[in-house]
Short mmCIF file of all heavy atoms in Angstrom, two decimals:
data_model
loop_
_atom_site.label_atom_id
_atom_site.label_comp_id
_atom_site.label_asym_id
_atom_site.label_seq_id
_atom_site.Cartn_x
_atom_site.Cartn_y
_atom_site.Cartn_z
N LEU A 222 0.50 4.39 1.55
CA LEU A 222 1.22 3.10 1.50
C LEU A 222 1.58 2.54 2.88
O LEU A 222 1.50 1.36 3.15
CB LEU A 222 2.58 3.36 0.66
CG LEU A 222 3.22 2.14 0.06
CD1 LEU A 222 2.34 1.43 -0.96
CD2 LEU A 222 4.52 2.54 -0.70
N LEU A 223 2.02 3.52 3.80
CA LEU A 223 2.31 3.13 5.15
C LEU A 223 1.10 2.51 5.87
O LEU A 223 1.23 1.63 6.60
CB LEU A 223 2.94 4.19 5.87
CG LEU A 223 4.33 4.64 5.60
CD1 LEU A 223 4.73 6.01 6.28
CD2 LEU A 223 5.37 3.59 5.92
N GLN A 224 -0.02 3.09 5.50
CA GLN A 224 -1.34 2.75 6.29
C GLN A 224 -1.91 1.45 5.76
O GLN A 224 -2.98 1.16 6.19
CB GLN A 224 -2.25 3.89 6.33
CG GLN A 224 -1.80 5.24 6.93
CD GLN A 224 -1.51 4.97 8.47
OE1 GLN A 224 -2.12 4.08 9.09
NE2 GLN A 224 -0.46 5.68 8.96
N GLY A 225 -1.24 0.89 4.81
CA GLY A 225 -1.79 -0.35 4.31
C GLY A 225 -2.48 -0.44 3.00
O GLY A 225 -3.20 -1.38 2.65
N ALA A 226 -2.33 0.63 2.20
CA ALA A 226 -2.95 0.62 0.88
C ALA A 226 -2.37 -0.52 0.16
O ALA A 226 -1.09 -0.87 0.26
CB ALA A 226 -2.57 1.92 0.17
N ARG A 227 -3.19 -1.25 -0.63
CA ARG A 227 -2.74 -2.53 -1.22
C ARG A 227 -2.03 -2.29 -2.51
O ARG A 227 -2.56 -1.72 -3.54
CB ARG A 227 -3.96 -3.35 -1.50
CG ARG A 227 -4.61 -3.86 -0.25
CD ARG A 227 -3.93 -4.92 0.43
NE ARG A 227 -4.54 -5.25 1.73
CZ ARG A 227 -3.99 -5.92 2.59
NH1 ARG A 227 -2.75 -6.40 2.48
NH2 ARG A 227 -4.59 -6.17 3.81
N TYR A 228 -0.76 -2.70 -2.64
CA TYR A 228 -0.03 -2.64 -3.81
C TYR A 228 0.10 -4.11 -4.35
O TYR A 228 0.63 -4.94 -3.64
CB TYR A 228 1.36 -2.07 -3.67
CG TYR A 228 2.37 -2.39 -4.80
CD1 TYR A 228 2.01 -2.02 -6.10
CD2 TYR A 228 3.49 -3.03 -4.62
CE1 TYR A 228 2.84 -2.40 -7.15
CE2 TYR A 228 4.37 -3.39 -5.61
CZ TYR A 228 4.02 -3.02 -6.97
OH TYR A 228 4.80 -3.35 -7.96
N ASP A 229 -0.34 -4.34 -5.55
CA ASP A 229 -0.36 -5.67 -6.19
C ASP A 229 0.71 -5.65 -7.32
O ASP A 229 0.40 -5.12 -8.38
CB ASP A 229 -1.77 -6.08 -6.72
CG ASP A 229 -1.72 -7.45 -7.34
OD1 ASP A 229 -0.67 -8.13 -7.30
OD2 ASP A 229 -2.79 -7.83 -7.80
N PRO A 230 1.83 -6.36 -7.13
CA PRO A 230 2.86 -6.25 -8.20
C PRO A 230 2.36 -6.85 -9.61
O PRO A 230 2.88 -6.53 -10.63
CB PRO A 230 4.01 -7.14 -7.58
CG PRO A 230 3.74 -7.20 -6.15
CD PRO A 230 2.29 -7.05 -5.98
N ALA A 231 1.39 -7.70 -9.50
CA ALA A 231 0.85 -8.27 -10.72
C ALA A 231 0.08 -7.23 -11.55
O ALA A 231 -0.04 -7.49 -12.74
CB ALA A 231 -0.12 -9.48 -10.39
N ARG A 232 -0.23 -6.17 -10.99
CA ARG A 232 -1.07 -5.19 -11.75
C ARG A 232 -0.17 -3.92 -12.21
O ARG A 232 -0.68 -3.07 -12.79
CB ARG A 232 -2.21 -4.62 -10.85
CG ARG A 232 -3.16 -5.72 -10.46
CD ARG A 232 -4.32 -5.22 -9.54
NE ARG A 232 -5.01 -4.18 -10.24
CZ ARG A 232 -6.01 -3.41 -9.74
NH1 ARG A 232 -6.27 -3.65 -8.43
NH2 ARG A 232 -6.68 -2.58 -10.42
N GLY A 233 1.18 -4.01 -11.92
CA GLY A 233 1.96 -2.93 -12.47
C GLY A 233 3.10 -2.67 -11.52
O GLY A 233 3.27 -3.27 -10.44
N THR A 234 3.89 -1.74 -11.94
CA THR A 234 5.10 -1.38 -11.12
C THR A 234 4.68 -0.57 -9.93
O THR A 234 3.53 0.03 -9.90
CB THR A 234 6.09 -0.57 -11.98
OG1 THR A 234 5.43 0.69 -12.28
CG2 THR A 234 6.56 -1.30 -13.23
N LEU A 235 5.62 -0.53 -9.00
CA LEU A 235 5.34 0.27 -7.78
C LEU A 235 5.27 1.80 -8.14
O LEU A 235 4.35 2.52 -7.58
CB LEU A 235 6.40 0.05 -6.73
CG LEU A 235 6.30 0.89 -5.43
CD1 LEU A 235 4.94 0.53 -4.69
CD2 LEU A 235 7.50 0.55 -4.47
N ALA A 236 6.06 2.23 -9.12
CA ALA A 236 6.04 3.50 -9.54
C ALA A 236 4.69 3.92 -10.04
O ALA A 236 4.12 4.99 -9.77
CB ALA A 236 7.17 3.81 -10.64
N ALA A 237 4.11 3.05 -10.91
CA ALA A 237 2.85 3.35 -11.51
C ALA A 237 1.80 3.44 -10.38
O ALA A 237 0.86 4.18 -10.50
CB ALA A 237 2.44 2.24 -12.54
N TYR A 238 1.93 2.50 -9.46
CA TYR A 238 0.93 2.49 -8.36
C TYR A 238 0.98 3.82 -7.56
O TYR A 238 -0.01 4.40 -7.26
CB TYR A 238 1.27 1.25 -7.44
CG TYR A 238 0.52 1.30 -6.12
CD1 TYR A 238 -0.84 0.80 -6.21
CD2 TYR A 238 1.06 1.66 -5.04
CE1 TYR A 238 -1.63 0.80 -5.04
CE2 TYR A 238 0.26 1.70 -3.77
CZ TYR A 238 -1.03 1.34 -3.85
OH TYR A 238 -1.85 1.29 -2.66
N LEU A 239 2.24 4.26 -7.27
CA LEU A 239 2.35 5.42 -6.54
C LEU A 239 1.90 6.67 -7.30
O LEU A 239 1.23 7.62 -6.76
CB LEU A 239 3.89 5.66 -6.12
CG LEU A 239 4.48 4.81 -5.11
CD1 LEU A 239 5.94 4.91 -4.91
CD2 LEU A 239 3.75 4.97 -3.68
N PHE A 240 2.11 6.66 -8.54
CA PHE A 240 1.54 7.79 -9.51
C PHE A 240 -0.01 7.70 -9.40
O PHE A 240 -0.65 8.76 -9.34
CB PHE A 240 2.02 7.56 -10.94
CG PHE A 240 3.20 8.40 -11.25
CD1 PHE A 240 4.56 7.83 -11.12
CD2 PHE A 240 3.04 9.67 -11.65
CE1 PHE A 240 5.55 8.55 -11.33
CE2 PHE A 240 4.29 10.42 -11.96
CZ PHE A 240 5.51 9.93 -11.84
N GLY A 241 -0.52 6.56 -9.36
CA GLY A 241 -2.02 6.42 -9.25
C GLY A 241 -2.58 7.01 -7.96
O GLY A 241 -3.53 7.70 -7.97
N VAL A 242 -1.84 6.70 -6.86
CA VAL A 242 -2.31 7.15 -5.55
C VAL A 242 -2.14 8.73 -5.56
O VAL A 242 -3.00 9.45 -5.14
CB VAL A 242 -1.50 6.55 -4.46
CG1 VAL A 242 -1.83 7.17 -3.08
CG2 VAL A 242 -1.64 5.07 -4.44
N ALA A 243 -1.03 9.22 -6.05
CA ALA A 243 -0.73 10.64 -6.07
C ALA A 243 -1.81 11.29 -7.00
O ALA A 243 -2.28 12.40 -6.57
CB ALA A 243 0.64 10.87 -6.65
N ARG A 244 -2.16 10.71 -8.13
CA ARG A 244 -3.10 11.28 -9.08
C ARG A 244 -4.50 11.48 -8.27
O ARG A 244 -5.21 12.50 -8.52
CB ARG A 244 -3.26 10.42 -10.23
CG ARG A 244 -4.15 10.96 -11.30
CD ARG A 244 -4.19 10.17 -12.50
NE ARG A 244 -4.91 10.80 -13.64
CZ ARG A 244 -6.19 10.60 -13.86
NH1 ARG A 244 -6.92 9.74 -13.23
NH2 ARG A 244 -6.78 11.30 -14.97
N HIS A 245 -4.86 10.52 -7.51
CA HIS A 245 -6.16 10.52 -6.80
C HIS A 245 -6.14 11.81 -5.88
O HIS A 245 -7.05 12.57 -5.86
CB HIS A 245 -6.29 9.29 -5.90
CG HIS A 245 -7.36 9.30 -4.97
ND1 HIS A 245 -8.69 9.15 -5.36
CD2 HIS A 245 -7.38 9.39 -3.63
CE1 HIS A 245 -9.47 9.28 -4.34
NE2 HIS A 245 -8.81 9.37 -3.24
#
Side-chain angles (χ1 to χ4, degrees):
Chain A
L222 199 61
L223 287 173
Q224 297 302 327
R227 297 283 175 196
Y228 162 59
D229 180 4
R232 296 180 63 186
T234 63
L235 179 59
Y238 172 79
L239 289 172
F240 265 92
V242 177
R244 184 174 191 265
H245 172 74

